[in-house]
Amino acid sequence: MPEMNIVQAVNSALLEEMQRDDRVILLGEDIGKNGGVFRCTEGLFEEFGPDRVIDTPLAESGIIGASIGMAFYGLRPVPEIQFLDFIYPAFDQIVSEAAKFRYRSGGEYPCQITIRSPYGGGIKGGHYHSQSTETYFAHTPGLKVVIPSAPYDTKGLLLSSIRDPDPVLFLEPKRIYRAGREEVPEGEFTIPLGEAKVVREGADVSIFAYGAMISQCTGAAEQAEEVGISCEVVDLRTLVPLDIDAVLDSVRKTGRVVIVYEATKFLGYGAEIAAILAEKAIESLEAPILRVAGLDTPFPYTHENLYLPDAGRILDAVEKVYSF
Amino acid sequence: MPEMNIVQAVNSALLEEMQRDDRVILLGEDIGKNGGVFRCTEGLFEEFGPDRVIDTPLAESGIIGASIGMAFYGLRPVPEIQFLDFIYPAFDQIVSEAAKFRYRSGGEYPCQITIRSPYGGGIKGGHYHSQSTETYFAHTPGLKVVIPSAPYDTKGLLLSSIRDPDPVLFLEPKRIYRAGREEVPEGEFTIPLGEAKVVREGADVSIFAYGAMISQCTGAAEQAEEVGISCEVVDLRTLVPLDIDAVLDSVRKTGRVVIVYEATKFLGYGAEIAAILAEKAIESLEAPILRVAGLDTPFPYTHENLYLPDAGRILDAVEKVYSF
Amino acid sequence: MTKLLRVVSPDGKYKEKDEPPLSEEELLKMYRYMMLTRALDTRGMALQRQGRIGFYVPSSGEEAVQIGSSFPLEPRDWIVPAYREQGAALLRGIPMAGIMAQLYGNEEDTAKGRQMPNHFTSRAAHFVPTSSPVGTQIPIAVGLGWAARIRGDNVVALGYFGDGATSQGDFHAAMNFAGLFQANTVFVCKNNQWAISVPFGNQTGTNEVAIKAQAYGFEGVRVDGNDVLAVYQASKEAIDKARFGGGPTLIEAVTYRMGPHTSSDDPTRYRDEAEVEKWRKKDPIVRFQRYLKEKGIWNEEMEVEIRQEAEAQVEEAVVRAEKRGLPSPATLFDDVYAEMPWHIKEAKEAFLEYLEKS
Amino acid sequence: MTKLLRVVSPDGKYKEKDEPPLSEEELLKMYRYMMLTRALDTRGMALQRQGRIGFYVPSSGEEAVQIGSSFPLEPRDWIVPAYREQGAALLRGIPMAGIMAQLYGNEEDTAKGRQMPNHFTSRAAHFVPTSSPVGTQIPIAVGLGWAARIRGDNVVALGYFGDGATSQGDFHAAMNFAGLFQANTVFVCKNNQWAISVPFGNQTGTNEVAIKAQAYGFEGVRVDGNDVLAVYQASKEAIDKARFGGGPTLIEAVTYRMGPHTSSDDPTRYRDEAEVEKWRKKDPIVRFQRYLKEKGIWNEEMEVEIRQEAEAQVEEAVVRAEKRGLPSPATLFDDVYAEMPWHIKEAKEAFLEYLEKS
Ligand SMILES: Cc1ncc(C[n+]2csc(CCOP(=O)(O)OP(=O)(O)O)c2C)c(N)n1
Ligand SMILES: Cc1ncc(C[n+]2csc(CCOP(=O)(O)OP(=O)(O)O)c2C)c(N)n1
Ligand SMILES: [Mg+2]
Ligand SMILES: [Mg+2]
């Protein structure tokens, strides 16, 4: 099995799916000749030509709106939004249109598109190349939201997303695009949406996270181990639908919870996890639920490392819930 | 003191503030000659003329973008978005621009605009004249979010919003626009942002809500009283910044919590309240935190009454947390 | 000012050389559908006033645009509508019973009572689900026409929108994509002079819509929207052009919204009755009737028959709709996703349990 | 095709009657600022390559557009920039030290290190905080110019954007509002032929930007963007017109992005060196130099002096910036709102406590 980083895993998934299914078509800004600003679509323009790998004008609402129409026609568009921060011209198309077609047509108009977009901090991108605004989408019924944290999962989840009959927002943690390689199968291979993954088992504290935060969490878990705290790290992988069983199973075991996400804390995705636990698992809880998250400010530049949760802050929270 | 409904309270606040401060200017669709589709700006066009009550073309991003520029120039724009459901063409202007100017200019460019918009269900408006998507805005640092539930508060909060140096999203629960009248002062009178109001005191269960849900909650509280459960109903009034003291005070007293909101349950505003309580008040909690909310589906038409929380569903939750 | 195309003059006169090659049968079909649309609108407003349906959006005055522009379409083509396209929906083959079920939001509504009246949808008729947000449908129409072009199919997408919609960013993005990628898309702007209370003169700094196509490198045409044959002619040309790889066209159909914006609107607040009166004299149905008479294929008897048949069709659908119950509450939870995820399932169960209990 | 305005030919020749009425001093000021901008860009890229700053957006090749268009502005006027307007920022009066502090995101940055390099802001200079999203600045420029008009002030807002930005919905909404309300706004489209890797020919179906103004009922002009006097001339006219109630103008300045899109970009992936070479020969600084020489107000000595002074100014700012520390972590929490709400206060306290501890 070849070793790949996340960029290569994305590329490999796209390449294979386009070979397998000629309805799959890519469109976005700078994805053609340039191969994407992060090179995720490298080589695909050469392979499939300008009718299947389309460099569009600079208009996200055009990209998503056209993708919806293409999906109705029977194509399988996989639009790219260059950075999640730039998705807002298409927000109306996503939340008012793509998300609602199946419902408002009584099931007659599914909207099978997979919107890929790099997101999150850690590349010194400041305000507009760093944000994690998955809440906007996870709060919108009709959309699925998927976020991988490693190359293997990236490929398997992206293939599932493209084949999924519902609109999927597939967010790629750009900070770890090239952070490491692992073995990724070539050929047919998928990972079902809606299944979390326990990346590290533990008994004392459950840490729930996704995307680039996973490695920070496992880092913290290792440090916690040294001081005698056993952490379980659960990678949610799919934010909608959430794998509720994985969450509850872990909490029933540990009774202590830390939720980690890069987004602004207030109403970030972790708020929903905490709320679900406050409803369904209050009797299991032995400590307050702590959230280690981005600050409730716009995303900064110079001090992004202070803004973003890291192993240190996570460990701090783990110790707090453990010693509560 | 004159009696007013919410529409009249909005109108009165706008009229007086425009008389007091000639920098205040209104812009939006159908707000001039037509007086607004809900008549909130009735008579103002006649009073202040087309330079201060401006009927704009049909482009929300133009309305909000222009308002931002006007604010920089020194005006105090109060743009109207005809229905919250139609705010998305302006979403980028709101979340990427208005919300971030103060921060990204190091404080040199405050962005004093108050965006008014009717929101919420209950008028048989289906998908696009009914939604409660306050989460999108409450999750965006830099914005304030205000939602009144009665005429008196409407006027006092709207005046505070217009004078507030930060961008405010002022959401008007259209379902109760004309639901009832109460005495509303004429002339100088404001209610500070960030202060919740206990609309009914109680000892057993805290109900947190806002907007049109308040009357459903007090209705449920009355019914609960009959079966011997004493409910405290807290009207949050300002969603950002949240009045944390009011929330914690109530929970410390009752130990049991029901949160009510019309929005989609998943990641609705109540998720944050639950998450805050799971962090700060877990020792006070004597029961799971229940949320009575809109369904996790797009907003329906025929069965909107089933979609929306009502006194019955709220009472059901109250009984559950009470008897836990 | 772009030249205004016209085939039939207000008094029904025409030059033979201008006439599109339509058979008598086709002409009468057009007329029937215009009458049917008018009958539906008249009844729809009445039903709303009587409190039997919750809301209505009349299209009176705009029958010629709807029927003329959608008449040249083939079944494999697509319509991407705004909310005032009931005439096109009928012509496209959505049955009157389906229209009425949607207006009532009852159990027979294929969309399960999920949208306000006038938000029609049909897969079979290639009529894309209507949306309320103004302008969002336009890029979708481009996507359909573009997909057809990419696949090499001679299929066209026709997108409708109003004069107000031309101010939206989505109009611009759509036009620009269509021009650049030569999508098989025809844009029909129903310039009915009003966007709720805003007259066209306050919508944009130009005094026409057609000229806006120049910003995107393709043709804009202006047509008398109350002349069904002129609309047909322009649309047929544009549709054929798009079908065979000639790229998009923007058609501005100059017409008038004779009624209120919707049943919730009171136009006397913002427009003069005199203006309405002026346009009422240009009624597209009357104009077409005069033409048919001029051609000798219309008479009073026929008129009565067509009117009665239209009214009967509407009446029958009303009777049927009123007999139907509401969609079951359980349907509220369907179709959010292809498969119901746990949180919706759980909510559904709790909900049905609660409903039973209460 | 809209006529391309030009004052100075590529070899520096000109007709006296075409020359704008600028003094020798003014001409040299322009030249100095163009040279200063070039010096900043050269150094900025180098600093990034050396890892001393994190990112840079060069404007090389676009000096004439920036300086020519902002030169006619008065202090009370406003600039609403994109991210490639450092020349205009300098001319507008943001000191080089301020520019450098922003690039370093250090404690002297008035925006407290909160944005990426090249996102300049200054209230004193009426230079609206730069944003990354393409196009969002355009409606804001309209709001400023419209407010001036409403208040009856002879104040102008000048909004910059690229050719790529013309595809965005916000461009459309802005142009439409400006045309309808006759805002005191001048739009300067820097058509540098590229939007990252997308050539202008793949951006839209027209082969120019200026024509797009017709869709909004006002004038669009095309000017040789590498001819600072032509840009000045067109901008001066448009600014005066806007100032005195004549409404907006769209200026398309045809120029070329000589460098990469940003320091993160590798243009060899998508464009031919031959094309760059062709445009390098049209370097706006060289052209202006030839003109000044032709007029007899330039010589080698002066050139050396101007260059050295520019470089020295940049160098001094670099030295200063590198001596400054980072903004204090506590500043992270300021300026979200005018007053800090409890949840930010609480996070700040916890955060500072944690920092101290660790
Ligand atoms: C994005 C958006 N903004 C506002 C509205 C409210 N609204 C509904 S219809 C309408 C006017 C539309 O005018 P036009 O496009 O001319 O179509 P017409 O109604 O005349 O057919 C407005 C403002 C909306 N539906 N969507
Ligand atoms: C809304 C949005 N989409 C995408 C991007 C990513 N992006 C940054 S600059 C750019 C190209 C801009 O081209 P143009 O407007 O011609 O300006 P130029 O860079 O040539 O000065 C793109 C696609 C962005 N910043 N904002
Ligand atoms: Mg209209
Ligand atoms: Mg460019």
Side-chain angles (χ1 to χ4, degrees), chain C residues 332-353:
Chain C
L332 266 174
F333 299 85
D334 297 337
D335 304 322
V336 183
Y337 301 95
E339 262 184 75
M340 197 178 288
W342 71 269
H343 65 292
I344 301 186
K345 232 178 253 163
E346 191 181 283
K348 179 177 172 178
E349 279 156 26
F351 191 77
L352 295 181
E353 202 174 292

Side-chain angles (χ1 to χ4, degrees), chain A residues 92, chain B residues 29-30 37 58-60 81-83 85-89 128-129, chain C residues 57-58 62 82-85 131-137 161-166 168 189-198 203 257 261-262:
Chain A
D92 207 9
Chain B
E29 295 157 11
D30 307 293
V37 297
L58 214 173
E60 287 75 10
I81 298 294
Q82 201 165 87
F83 288 81
D85 315 74
F86 302 137
I87 203 167
Y88 303 112
Y128 301 107
H129 300 79
Chain C
V57 186
E62 305 177 27
Y83 43 74
R84 210 186 291 282
E85 264 70 70
S131 173
S132 308
V134 167
T136 44
Q137 76 277 26
F161 49 91
D163 43 308
T166 64
Q168 281 290 16
C189 177
K190 294 167 66 185
N191 185 351
N192 63 6
Q193 312 305 320
W194 291 91
I196 308 187
S197 73
V198 177
Q203 192 63 243
R257 194 195 79 207
H261 171 64
T262 67

Side-chain angles (χ1 to χ4, degrees), chain B residues 36-88:
Chain B
V37 297
F38 289 103
R39 310 288 174 249
C40 288
T41 53
E42 174 114 48
L44 302 178
F45 178 80
E46 291 73 15
E47 182 70 21
F48 300 103
D51 268 358
R52 292 188 64 199
V53 183
I54 307 171
D55 272 325
T56 67
L58 214 173
E60 287 75 10
S61 87
I63 295 171
I64 303 300
S67 295
I68 295 170
M70 288 175 160
F72 292 164
Y73 196 82
L75 301 183
R76 300 269 176 273
V78 185
E80 174 181 302
I81 298 294
Q82 201 165 87
F83 288 81
L84 181 60
D85 315 74
F86 302 137
I87 203 167
Y88 303 112

Side-chain angles (χ1 to χ4, degrees), chain C residues 231-289:
Chain C
V231 176
Y232 170 82
Q233 184 86 294
S235 306
K236 173 85 174 118
E237 274 169 32
I239 288 167
D240 285 351
K241 180 171 158 191
R243 191 183 303 291
F244 299 108
T249 306
L250 169 63
I251 297 173
E252 175 188 6
V254 180
T255 182
Y256 195 73
R257 194 195 79 207
M258 277 172 29
H261 171 64
T262 67
S263 55
S264 310
D265 178 47
D266 172 11
T268 64
R269 295 178 63 91
Y270 54 77
R271 74 179 182 187
D272 284 344
E273 186 50 30
E275 179 186 291
V276 184
E277 205 35 61
K278 199 188 81 189
W279 279 90
R280 206 169 279 135
K281 297 210 180 88
K282 305 190 199 171
D283 187 323
I285 295 189
V286 175
R287 168 117 52 118
F288 196 37
Q289 192 191 85

